[in-house]
Amino acid sequence: MDQTYTAFVEGRHVATGPLHEVAVAVLRVQQAQPTVNPLVFSDASGRAADLDLRGGEHAVAARYAVAEPAQVPKGRGRPKLGVVAREVTLLPEHWEWLAAQPGGASVALRKLVHEARRSGADRDRARQARDRVYHAMSALAGDLAGFEEASRALYAGDTERLRAQMAPWPADVQAYVLRLAEPAAG
């Protein structure tokens, strides 16, 4: 699935979609209203994205179009599987235990990581959703009434209190915050 971005101008939703489409929409807004300051967010992370809007629509769209994936260079290991060699620092007794496992250290580490990811997946998705929301919410609503209480409600997992604190905010900001709050949104 392609990553999507969302743009706002003064609390009003402008566009959502692939970055090249959102960038062109933001360029059009800037051309029509040169004094506004659009904000663009990665829907996956909630972080603001800085855009280079120089040139016309074709130049901007080309700058942010998705490129073909680069070929993985041939090297050690199993590059076709996406195996990447990196350094791991462990105590000697950890290395001894890993070496005694069936398949050796690499297989044992992969199994441990896989199990940890599986057992903590729901917790990790909820944490990522909170972080995603907070990044976008602080940029869009950091100076709006109820922001601090809304943040507390977000981290407490109290959606009803979050909705109540966001009530005076622009409707598009509220909708975006609630969409990002879904654990599967990223």
Side-chain angles (χ1 to χ4, degrees):
M1 181 170 112
D2 292 334
Q3 184 174 351
T4 59
Y5 290 79
T6 300
F8 288 87
V9 171
E10 297 174 350
R12 183 179 46 87
H13 176 260
V14 173
T16 295
L19 188 55
H20 68 279
E21 292 176 10
V22 172
V24 169
V26 168
L27 175 64
R28 290 177 183 155
V29 168
Q30 287 248 271
Q31 290 171 336
Q33 303 172 48
T35 60
V36 298
N37 186 22
L39 295 172
V40 178
F41 299 94
S42 161
D43 295 339
S45 69
R47 293 189 184 277
D50 291 326
L51 300 180
D52 178 356
L53 300 177
R54 293 176 293 155
E57 289 184 16
H58 292 296
V60 170
R63 189 173 298 126
Y64 295 107
V66 177
E68 290 295 316
Q71 292 294 324
V72 176
K74 297 257 183 216
R76 295 178 52 171
R78 297 179 176 196
K80 287 183 181 179
L81 296 177
V83 175
V84 177
R86 297 218 176 123
E87 183 179 335
V88 175
T89 306
L90 298 172
L91 294 171
E93 62 261 24
H94 298 144
W95 284 116
E96 289 169 17
W97 182 84
L98 285 170
Q101 300 307 303
S106 292
V107 170
L109 284 171
R110 283 194 295 272
K111 286 179 179 179
L112 288 169
V113 169
H114 180 71
E115 180 58 34
R117 286 181 66 195
R118 191 177 56 192
S119 68
D122 290 341
R123 184 180 60 248
D124 288 345
R125 278 193 295 276
R127 179 189 46 79
Q128 290 168 349
R130 278 192 310 271
D131 292 348
R132 180 174 50 242
V133 171
Y134 184 77
H135 291 304
M137 191 171 78
S138 61
L140 286 168
D143 59 351
L144 296 179
F147 171 76
E148 288 192 23
E149 282 303 316
S151 297
R152 288 184 186 98
L154 171 68
Y155 282 97
D158 188 343
T159 306
E160 291 310 310
R161 196 169 92 214
L162 175 63
R163 287 177 190 270
Q165 292 302 319
M166 292 190 311
W169 299 0
D172 289 349
V173 172
Q174 292 179 50
Y176 187 60
V177 165
L178 293 173
R179 181 167 68 89
L180 290 184
E182 293 299 317

